[in-house]
Amino acid sequence: MQRAVGNQAVNQMLGSRGGSASGSKPPVQMQPMRPGNMFQSTTGAPRTSPAGPSSAGAASSQPSSPAEIPVIKTPSDLKGKGGYADVYSWLKEQAQASKKSDLFGFFDALEPEQKMSAIRSMANNARTITISAVKKSMMTGIFTKSVDWDKFSVIVRDAKKMDTTNYNADQDRDYASYTAIGTSGAAGGVSGSATISKTLGATGATGTALTAAPIAGGLSGIASVSQIYNATQNYDGALSAAGKAQLVAGEGMSGAADLARFSAGSVNGVREVSGMALNGAATVAAGAGAIVGGAAYMVGGAAGYIEGGRNAKKLGKVEEQLAARKGDALADQQMLAASLGKSTQEMNKSKSGMTAVKGAMMVAGGAMLIAAAASPAGPILIALAAILGGVAAIVKFYKKYKRKEAFVDKALKVDESAALPENKGIEKSKIRQSLLEKHGFNSVGQCYAQLVTDLAGMLFDSGVKGDDPESRQIIEGIGLKIDKAKQKPGKDLIAKKLHT
């Protein structure tokens, strides 16, 4: 039941934000208890704006001030509940002090049993519910202690039976990969720049070039191992043919070739630092590694560039078709999913194009290295290719970071709320934060993760388990193929491909 409930999130958001103007009816309640989703209307209290994504009075889309919180009074549904009532009053005091009245309002609108469940979680399931038990679990900060409102948000949404799983959350292997890529990229940039400067006559760069080269080689080798490992972990039979080519060739094979190249190149790096003559066999091996690795990057990059462009165009057409059904609950959710998927595919296309160029530079550099070991042209091209690869990764990371806020603004209709007369003169960031909290979130990142999770659930239910044509097109448009018999791709993979 949790999936059925959680997948109503975007549906309810779109229904409530459209108001009577859209003529759409509110979604049918699936169970007696208030549905657990991020955008469900949670109370009859005037906490939201009809033009915004919330569900009641217009003026309340303005950011709250402490004065808006009434005198603390234990609600009737927690009276006589011992420690629960005490914790409730304490939390409300903390919300007032931290200007989190909208977020507390989301909690306050839960059913009594849901509130009690949330409070138990905040007390770390202590046998006796007390304020001190909640403080021990929920307070954070070094010099100034306050409630961990991020944690509060997750607990409250969990109590409402929302699927708060973040399928794109970084894992240990991701952090290891970021560290390896970052350090190797930095060292490679220093080494490559120094090599180029030395070649162009800057004698002062010689020492840096000689010292940085073996360090960069070693760190790059670690990054290659991380790249190969991630390729094996990310492989899935539900990926499209182009997606598999990107992982197998663009990540796995190129990583293996890079590892061989870095190992061979490090031999000459150490020999050069020691004042020894270059080893011819090591030079040839490094050149061959650059050619093989570069060719793999070219294959993976070209496949990704073509696939990304084709998928982005396909999703754009789906989005246009769905616009004709605006106001329909499922169609509005699908429009958001198609929009996010298209954005991801456009970013992948851009990065894949740069990867293909990087591969071409490596092939050319490797060939020059073998043909004329003494020529600086080969090492320079390979160094530039490494720098280009790092730049491509940074650009994609930055675009994904900036997209979160823009996508959340689109889903919550922040711009429309900011245009309301009663919100004139209020900073957009404050309006956004107020709307986020009214839906149970303390940050843009939390809301974005929930959106992706709920959209993935909707696509899985309607396109993998069900047979909705638009949902099928969106799933295929993000680079996946549907296997009805195996019920693949799963919700987790759909969520990852919507985002990455």
Short mmCIF file of all heavy atoms in Angstrom, two decimals, residues 150-179:
data_model
loop_
_atom_site.label_atom_id
_atom_site.label_comp_id
_atom_site.label_asym_id
_atom_site.label_seq_id
_atom_site.Cartn_x
_atom_site.Cartn_y
_atom_site.Cartn_z
N ASP A 150 16.36 18.78 9.16
CA ASP A 150 16.43 17.83 8.05
C ASP A 150 15.95 16.45 8.51
O ASP A 150 15.15 15.78 7.84
CB ASP A 150 17.86 17.72 7.52
CG ASP A 150 18.24 18.88 6.61
OD1 ASP A 150 17.34 19.56 6.10
OD2 ASP A 150 19.45 19.10 6.41
N LYS A 151 16.45 16.03 9.67
CA LYS A 151 16.06 14.74 10.23
C LYS A 151 14.58 14.76 10.61
O LYS A 151 13.86 13.77 10.39
CB LYS A 151 16.93 14.44 11.46
CG LYS A 151 16.72 13.07 12.07
CD LYS A 151 17.71 12.84 13.21
CE LYS A 151 17.52 11.46 13.82
NZ LYS A 151 18.49 11.23 14.93
N PHE A 152 14.14 15.86 11.15
CA PHE A 152 12.73 16.03 11.52
C PHE A 152 11.85 15.81 10.29
O PHE A 152 10.84 15.10 10.33
CB PHE A 152 12.52 17.43 12.09
CG PHE A 152 11.10 17.77 12.43
CD1 PHE A 152 10.58 17.50 13.69
CD2 PHE A 152 10.27 18.39 11.50
CE1 PHE A 152 9.26 17.82 14.01
CE2 PHE A 152 8.96 18.72 11.80
CZ PHE A 152 8.44 18.43 13.07
N SER A 153 12.24 16.41 9.17
CA SER A 153 11.48 16.29 7.92
C SER A 153 11.36 14.84 7.47
O SER A 153 10.28 14.37 7.10
CB SER A 153 12.14 17.13 6.82
OG SER A 153 11.62 16.81 5.55
N VAL A 154 12.47 14.12 7.49
CA VAL A 154 12.46 12.72 7.04
C VAL A 154 11.58 11.87 7.95
O VAL A 154 10.77 11.05 7.48
CB VAL A 154 13.90 12.16 6.99
CG1 VAL A 154 13.87 10.67 6.67
CG2 VAL A 154 14.73 12.90 5.97
N ILE A 155 11.70 12.06 9.26
CA ILE A 155 10.92 11.27 10.21
C ILE A 155 9.42 11.52 10.03
O ILE A 155 8.61 10.59 10.02
CB ILE A 155 11.35 11.60 11.66
CG1 ILE A 155 12.73 11.01 11.94
CG2 ILE A 155 10.34 11.05 12.66
CD1 ILE A 155 13.31 11.39 13.29
N VAL A 156 9.06 12.79 9.85
CA VAL A 156 7.65 13.13 9.71
C VAL A 156 7.08 12.56 8.41
O VAL A 156 5.97 12.04 8.38
CB VAL A 156 7.46 14.67 9.77
CG1 VAL A 156 6.03 15.05 9.43
CG2 VAL A 156 7.82 15.19 11.16
N ARG A 157 7.85 12.64 7.32
CA ARG A 157 7.37 12.08 6.06
C ARG A 157 7.30 10.56 6.12
O ARG A 157 6.42 9.94 5.52
CB ARG A 157 8.26 12.55 4.91
CG ARG A 157 7.99 14.00 4.52
CD ARG A 157 8.84 14.45 3.35
NE ARG A 157 10.22 14.72 3.74
CZ ARG A 157 11.29 14.21 3.13
NH1 ARG A 157 11.13 13.37 2.12
NH2 ARG A 157 12.49 14.52 3.53
N ASP A 158 8.24 9.95 6.84
CA ASP A 158 8.16 8.50 7.03
C ASP A 158 6.89 8.13 7.79
O ASP A 158 6.22 7.15 7.46
CB ASP A 158 9.38 8.01 7.83
CG ASP A 158 10.59 7.74 6.94
OD1 ASP A 158 10.39 7.45 5.75
OD2 ASP A 158 11.73 7.83 7.43
N ALA A 159 6.57 8.92 8.81
CA ALA A 159 5.36 8.64 9.61
C ALA A 159 4.11 8.77 8.76
O ALA A 159 3.10 8.11 9.02
CB ALA A 159 5.29 9.61 10.79
N LYS A 160 4.18 9.60 7.73
CA LYS A 160 3.04 9.78 6.83
C LYS A 160 3.00 8.71 5.74
O LYS A 160 2.19 8.76 4.83
CB LYS A 160 3.09 11.16 6.20
CG LYS A 160 1.77 11.62 5.64
CD LYS A 160 1.85 13.01 5.04
CE LYS A 160 0.50 13.38 4.43
NZ LYS A 160 0.52 14.69 3.78
N LYS A 161 3.89 7.73 5.86
CA LYS A 161 3.96 6.60 4.93
C LYS A 161 4.42 7.01 3.54
O LYS A 161 4.05 6.40 2.54
CB LYS A 161 2.61 5.87 4.82
CG LYS A 161 2.05 5.40 6.15
CD LYS A 161 3.00 4.46 6.86
CE LYS A 161 2.41 3.98 8.18
NZ LYS A 161 3.38 3.16 8.95
N MET A 162 5.24 8.04 3.46
CA MET A 162 5.84 8.42 2.18
C MET A 162 7.11 7.61 1.98
O MET A 162 7.82 7.30 2.94
CB MET A 162 6.16 9.92 2.17
CG MET A 162 4.92 10.81 2.20
SD MET A 162 5.30 12.56 2.45
CE MET A 162 6.10 12.94 0.89
N ASP A 163 7.39 7.26 0.75
CA ASP A 163 8.64 6.56 0.44
C ASP A 163 9.74 7.60 0.35
O ASP A 163 9.89 8.30 -0.65
CB ASP A 163 8.50 5.82 -0.89
CG ASP A 163 9.77 5.05 -1.25
OD1 ASP A 163 10.73 5.08 -0.45
OD2 ASP A 163 9.81 4.42 -2.32
N THR A 164 10.51 7.72 1.41
CA THR A 164 11.55 8.75 1.47
C THR A 164 12.91 8.25 0.97
O THR A 164 13.92 8.92 1.14
CB THR A 164 11.73 9.28 2.91
OG1 THR A 164 12.06 8.18 3.78
CG2 THR A 164 10.44 9.91 3.42
N THR A 165 12.93 7.08 0.34
CA THR A 165 14.19 6.55 -0.18
C THR A 165 14.78 7.48 -1.23
O THR A 165 14.10 7.87 -2.17
CB THR A 165 13.97 5.17 -0.82
OG1 THR A 165 13.34 4.31 0.13
CG2 THR A 165 15.30 4.56 -1.26
N ASN A 166 16.03 7.83 -1.06
CA ASN A 166 16.74 8.63 -2.07
C ASN A 166 17.59 7.68 -2.90
O ASN A 166 18.68 7.30 -2.50
CB ASN A 166 17.61 9.69 -1.39
CG ASN A 166 18.33 10.59 -2.39
OD1 ASN A 166 18.21 10.40 -3.61
ND2 ASN A 166 19.08 11.55 -1.90
N TYR A 167 17.09 7.31 -4.06
CA TYR A 167 17.79 6.33 -4.88
C TYR A 167 19.06 6.88 -5.52
O TYR A 167 19.85 6.12 -6.07
CB TYR A 167 16.85 5.80 -5.98
CG TYR A 167 15.70 4.99 -5.44
CD1 TYR A 167 14.41 5.52 -5.37
CD2 TYR A 167 15.90 3.70 -4.98
CE1 TYR A 167 13.35 4.77 -4.86
CE2 TYR A 167 14.86 2.94 -4.47
CZ TYR A 167 13.58 3.49 -4.41
OH TYR A 167 12.55 2.74 -3.90
N ASN A 168 19.24 8.18 -5.44
CA ASN A 168 20.44 8.79 -6.01
C ASN A 168 21.40 9.28 -4.93
O ASN A 168 22.33 10.04 -5.22
CB ASN A 168 20.05 9.96 -6.93
CG ASN A 168 19.38 9.48 -8.20
OD1 ASN A 168 20.01 8.88 -9.06
ND2 ASN A 168 18.09 9.72 -8.33
N ALA A 169 21.17 8.86 -3.70
CA ALA A 169 22.07 9.25 -2.62
C ALA A 169 23.45 8.64 -2.86
O ALA A 169 23.58 7.50 -3.33
CB ALA A 169 21.52 8.78 -1.28
N ASP A 170 24.49 9.40 -2.56
CA ASP A 170 25.85 8.92 -2.75
C ASP A 170 26.16 7.77 -1.78
O ASP A 170 25.79 7.82 -0.61
CB ASP A 170 26.86 10.05 -2.53
CG ASP A 170 26.84 11.07 -3.66
OD1 ASP A 170 26.57 10.67 -4.81
OD2 ASP A 170 27.07 12.26 -3.39
N GLN A 171 26.84 6.76 -2.31
CA GLN A 171 27.27 5.63 -1.49
C GLN A 171 28.77 5.76 -1.23
O GLN A 171 29.43 6.64 -1.75
CB GLN A 171 26.96 4.32 -2.22
CG GLN A 171 25.50 4.17 -2.60
CD GLN A 171 25.24 2.94 -3.46
OE1 GLN A 171 25.89 1.90 -3.29
NE2 GLN A 171 24.31 3.06 -4.39
N ASP A 172 29.28 4.83 -0.43
CA ASP A 172 30.71 4.88 -0.10
C ASP A 172 31.58 4.83 -1.36
O ASP A 172 32.57 5.54 -1.47
CB ASP A 172 31.08 3.70 0.82
CG ASP A 172 30.51 3.87 2.22
OD1 ASP A 172 30.13 5.02 2.57
OD2 ASP A 172 30.41 2.87 2.95
N ARG A 173 31.18 4.00 -2.32
CA ARG A 173 31.97 3.90 -3.55
C ARG A 173 31.94 5.19 -4.36
O ARG A 173 32.89 5.50 -5.07
CB ARG A 173 31.50 2.72 -4.40
CG ARG A 173 30.10 2.82 -4.96
CD ARG A 173 29.74 1.53 -5.70
NE ARG A 173 28.37 1.50 -6.19
CZ ARG A 173 27.98 1.91 -7.38
NH1 ARG A 173 28.88 2.41 -8.23
NH2 ARG A 173 26.72 1.84 -7.75
N ASP A 174 30.83 5.94 -4.22
CA ASP A 174 30.75 7.22 -4.93
C ASP A 174 31.73 8.22 -4.33
O ASP A 174 32.42 8.93 -5.04
CB ASP A 174 29.32 7.77 -4.87
CG ASP A 174 28.33 6.90 -5.61
OD1 ASP A 174 28.61 6.56 -6.77
OD2 ASP A 174 27.30 6.54 -5.03
N TYR A 175 31.77 8.26 -2.99
CA TYR A 175 32.70 9.18 -2.33
C TYR A 175 34.15 8.82 -2.65
O TYR A 175 34.99 9.69 -2.87
CB TYR A 175 32.47 9.17 -0.81
CG TYR A 175 31.18 9.80 -0.39
CD1 TYR A 175 30.19 9.05 0.25
CD2 TYR A 175 30.93 11.15 -0.63
CE1 TYR A 175 28.99 9.63 0.64
CE2 TYR A 175 29.73 11.74 -0.24
CZ TYR A 175 28.76 10.98 0.39
OH TYR A 175 27.58 11.56 0.77
N ALA A 176 34.42 7.50 -2.69
CA ALA A 176 35.78 7.06 -3.04
C ALA A 176 36.11 7.47 -4.47
O ALA A 176 37.24 7.91 -4.76
CB ALA A 176 35.89 5.54 -2.88
N SER A 177 35.12 7.35 -5.36
CA SER A 177 35.34 7.72 -6.75
C SER A 177 35.56 9.22 -6.89
O SER A 177 36.45 9.66 -7.61
CB SER A 177 34.13 7.28 -7.59
OG SER A 177 34.28 7.69 -8.94
N TYR A 178 34.75 10.02 -6.18
CA TYR A 178 34.92 11.48 -6.24
C TYR A 178 36.32 11.88 -5.77
O TYR A 178 36.97 12.73 -6.38
CB TYR A 178 33.88 12.18 -5.36
CG TYR A 178 32.45 11.95 -5.75
CD1 TYR A 178 31.43 12.00 -4.80
CD2 TYR A 178 32.09 11.65 -7.07
CE1 TYR A 178 30.10 11.79 -5.15
CE2 TYR A 178 30.77 11.44 -7.43
CZ TYR A 178 29.78 11.51 -6.46
OH TYR A 178 28.47 11.30 -6.80
N THR A 179 36.75 11.24 -4.67
CA THR A 179 38.07 11.57 -4.13
C THR A 179 39.17 11.20 -5.12
O THR A 179 40.09 11.99 -5.38
CB THR A 179 38.30 10.81 -2.80
OG1 THR A 179 37.27 11.18 -1.89
CG2 THR A 179 39.66 11.16 -2.22
#
